[in-house]
Amino acid sequence: MTTSNPVSRRKFIEASTAAAAAAYVANPALAFALGKPSGAAHGVDSSHLPWRDQGVLNLNNSPYAKLHSVPVRAVTIEEGFWSKRRKTNVDSSIPTMRDQLLEHGRMDNFRRLVGKSTEPQKGPVYSDSDIYKWMEAVGFALQSGDLPAVHNQTAAMIKEVVAVQEPSGYINTYYAQDRAEQRMLQKTQRDGHELYCLGHMLQGAIAYYRATGDTTLLDAGAKMVDDFLIPNYGPGPDKKPIVAGHPEIEMSLIELYRTTGRKQYVDLAAYILHGDDRFKFEPSRIVYMYCGIPFTTRTKLEGHAVRAMYACCGATDYYLETGDQAYWKTLTTLWEDLSQRQMYITGGVGARSDGESFGEAYELPNSQAYGESCAAIGNMMWNWRMLAASGESKYADVIERALYNGINSGMSLDGTTYCYRNPLAFNPDSGEQIRNPWYDTTCCPPNLERTFASLPGYFYSTNKDGLYVHLYDNSTLDWHLENGTPLKVVQKTNYPWDGDVEMTVSPSEPADFVMNLRIPGWAKSAKVAVNGKAVAGAKPGEYLTIKRRWSPGDTVTLAFPMAAEIVASNPRVEENLGRVAVQRGPIVYCMEGLDQNPAAADFSEVAIVVNSKSLKAFEVEHKPALLEGVTVLKHNGAVYDHGSDKAALYADATAAGPKARAESLTLIPYYAWANRKPTEMVVWIPSART
Amino acid sequence: MTTSNPVSRRKFIEASTAAAAAAYVANPALAFALGKPSGAAHGVDSSHLPWRDQGVLNLNNSPYAKLHSVPVRAVTIEEGFWSKRRKTNVDSSIPTMRDQLLEHGRMDNFRRLVGKSTEPQKGPVYSDSDIYKWMEAVGFALQSGDLPAVHNQTAAMIKEVVAVQEPSGYINTYYAQDRAEQRMLQKTQRDGHELYCLGHMLQGAIAYYRATGDTTLLDAGAKMVDDFLIPNYGPGPDKKPIVAGHPEIEMSLIELYRTTGRKQYVDLAAYILHGDDRFKFEPSRIVYMYCGIPFTTRTKLEGHAVRAMYACCGATDYYLETGDQAYWKTLTTLWEDLSQRQMYITGGVGARSDGESFGEAYELPNSQAYGESCAAIGNMMWNWRMLAASGESKYADVIERALYNGINSGMSLDGTTYCYRNPLAFNPDSGEQIRNPWYDTTCCPPNLERTFASLPGYFYSTNKDGLYVHLYDNSTLDWHLENGTPLKVVQKTNYPWDGDVEMTVSPSEPADFVMNLRIPGWAKSAKVAVNGKAVAGAKPGEYLTIKRRWSPGDTVTLAFPMAAEIVASNPRVEENLGRVAVQRGPIVYCMEGLDQNPAAADFSEVAIVVNSKSLKAFEVEHKPALLEGVTVLKHNGAVYDHGSDKAALYADATAAGPKARAESLTLIPYYAWANRKPTEMVVWIPSART
């Protein structure tokens, strides 16, 4: 937890600026930006990719991005697994969340400042961010052509937002009026989420701009950076220091650079990622905030999970622009910590409610798991950036794990209630209401909405050699290769319930290029064929690279054997000792009490039987009417008569244990839990090795 | 969480007063107190037991106490298990804690208010209580004739304390001067610990009075109750409401009654235990505080563990005076919850750091355990009261479990550092310093000190028929039966390392009376003989009642077979699935990394082997030089080569597991952990059933 002295900090800034500059010079498309005065107009840069063509991240000019995004609008997700979720998202979630935000005064906060509302300030310090995240969800939905009815509503809301911008560029409804004097104090930067709100404003503005070309919100956000932030805050004795407090500003500044071409945003992000030792914080605060010291001194994930994930996103974005190897080394160390020691099987992260934080290595409690929806989303966002930086499939595996499980669980099937925490075991006796339509800290609901709305943008990437396929679902890509050749890819599949995918690859005319097909890490094997002819070399956990001359209508078939698997966790995970989980394809399963025979309703008395015949002991049945259509697993498990509600808390372990009898156990996908009546739930089920 | 309306509350107070009055009338010794005006002198009542003869609790006039305390001074603990701890307590802990309290300004807080210090207020709102709890430790030490050197120091400190008492009777150094206007506001009563501090003042004053006969502090405490509290706060429209905030005042008021004979203190405790619905609190606050609604509406232990334990103490004290069956029913329900679902094997309680609270039923995490030292002490204090009310050995079993393990762990062997939390697993990689000389919230250290200082008072009780023996250690009781017959009992034993106890029972002359000998619940069997002749009927978990004519020099021998036991927990305790603990007699064992061969240093890769021969697989060796003398266990366990620090977080459970090899595992008493260098520790060890 050392922080450098002012001299070394200044040296760092100079050095990183030089490194960044070198990178840009090496990339002629970016050279225009160097030296452009920061006081220039806040509008977007016309030499960049047109707004319509920019993806979830606009990586086309990022020198260290091995993969480049395709725009959300280039991919149409058709009737299948994700179409239901996305339809619910635009038909129900986004509109009802607008109602909730209005009802809870989140727009009145803006209106009050221009005399249009007499309501008092509502909600916590970061309430503006919920409006922005909701606008980002709208932006992504509009990119897919969804939600035209909300377009005008949102445009009107944007007008109300920008109306409160002060001539200085400052915009934040909490630190206004009586609280204006608290702006950007060290304590406010630490806890007040001013830059967090600005970051979400920028992300919302960028998504909306990429949907509509409308720069109203983007100009306002950029103005706050250009006129309020950069002239007054940053390195150097004439400026005041910055701490992110809750990381978010870093990645948004770099995306602002990617949208406008103005390099000062990367420099500012670099400065914030490095921290400014003119601010002193207690070590515990440095852990919690996951900022305030050089990002490159971090060696493990700790502190507030969402903060840590967003910090990693910003740091990876910075790497994508600069190639700074110190960052890459830190990022890969942290990713190792994530995937080897800190991630739930659901892709959720954040073990502890206390501080909404990561725990120690292997500390992954189940019923007490925090697993905030926002943290799982942060995990996906970070891995999307790591995937772009590396082209390595292991990052896409984490995206898939989080998306189908720990993120997907966060929104009810009807799209109107949300999980803040996503535990892996639950007892309704706790009285906890796990899904709610509204939280006073309502970060997760619009975060889930923006994620589902942006989902088409995660299916594919391009590089100069061809196309990467990351996700499988019924869909049509209508885009082009980086050399301009138009390309259409149609996927037909029943994934994730079935492991067969048929893909039609249609360049506008025969062309030599590479198709990189993700072979999921969970697959035991994979068969791939082109036009019916087997292609060798498919390895689970890697991209299968098929370089050939592709002609319109070429078909690729992929077959991933889809079987229930029994998963054990590393013995260092204390709570999972003697327990196993069940996964089938990317879907993690759980048991809910209401699905079991009464005899198996006490989950401390049931066991998954693990032996060489176990895997054949699963019956697989797709139930279209259950939970909007899920594949249910039945397992011939064991039930013990512990009488555990009456048994002593501690007893002689050498006494003969109870006898087991066979009993069918029913498992449903974890993401669909808590969509019926409150009942016990468990992912990690006791195991019996017979 | 219902609260009654004002009418029913008033009715309750009237009814409970009537019930209490009936009880007192039935007990002539108490009748004097009825009708005594509350404005009377604050001094002690001379018709009660002399101060020298009052025990940890003065239960001699408590109509519903089946057992009565003997004074601390009646029992001399001699060279053996507890003598070392008690010597350290008076030689090192109590004096160094005084230094710490002075150094951290806790006495300056008092001096400031009379112009003798210019230091600002130091420490949290409840800082006065730490002085009082330390004084209570001194009081108990003085009762044993220890610490004469501290006597004068303490007398001087008491003068400084009482010097700040205002004419109104109010005394609290935090809510003074600028903060005086916040006194007794609802918010202050909720969080400000004014009555908590008063309660500890009363307990400290009573212990000091019972040591010295000096009523200086006691008079001041009683004056605050009589002149400040009772005239202004309590039931009725002319008085303001009270909430305990942090229960403590209840038990101290009843002990004040037991010391002074003034019944209004019981009435006030009854009112506080019932709660006053003129104060409204959120349900979560009612859970956390464990007060504010009628105690008799509680159905489980929840919320802040120390608050809950102290509330149970106060409620049991109230039952001991009134016999109110609604209280007894609630208390037994809560005790069932404690012993069946909420108590660590160490006797510690409080699963969660978050809110320092109880968890759900069976939520007993190990490394994340809170198990605050104060909560384990509160558990012992509560069970001492339940034992007095019932004469049932199961309560003494809990006292022994907590005392030898979860309390004893709280103080380092050298007596200068303390645990705030007492986890059952620990990894030094967490960076947590588990034992510290000082905490800004320093509740636990003086609480441990008062407990060890008062320990002789827990060894015996009397009833009209004879004597109860609760604890075993080398000691001499020099007291008398309730009929006045002088009685000396000498214990010779190497308990708890050895299960043989030789007891010499010497009434001053031959006399008929009953000896009730506790047969510990952990014993598999027990042999008892009087003068070499076997006595039948000893049952573990019960008192063996020996009614006979005892003559001076009669010997009782007890033999509890002392063997290592392997303990399993109820399968509902998630974290302990697949794990066992080792206990020998009352001592719970643990493994520390530094005692193991390198091959067994990773506790996720070792296992206790559980089979029919397991218990013979323990080698028992007493090591006088290790950890101030402990009996070490060695077990021929299994070590697996999981390579778990490199293994994947999630893997196929059906794959063949690693082979095990035999390896000797070393176990030490849990209470002695973390007294050498930081190293991994575990109580619940993975088990292999072979």
Side-chain angles (χ1 to χ4, degrees), chain B residues 2-17 235-237 270-271 273-278 280 292-294 296-297 318 324 327:
Chain B
T2 56
T3 50
S4 58
N5 62 37
V7 174
S8 66
R9 182 180 43 75
R10 202 156 49 239
K11 276 190 181 161
F12 160 80
I13 297 292
E14 285 160 8
S16 68
T17 304
Y271 160 76
L273 282 163
H274 185 263
D276 189 323
D277 58 13
R278 287 177 290 173
K280 307 291 178 205
I293 55 167
T296 50
T297 62
Y318 179 72
D324 187 324
Y327 273 79

Side-chain angles (χ1 to χ4, degrees), chain B residues 238-255:
Chain B
D238 54 330
K239 295 184 181 183
K240 293 179 206 140
I242 296 177
V243 69
H246 187 315
E248 160 68 23
I249 186 69
E250 304 88 334
M251 67 174 131
S252 70
L253 283 172
I254 292 176
E255 203 61 30

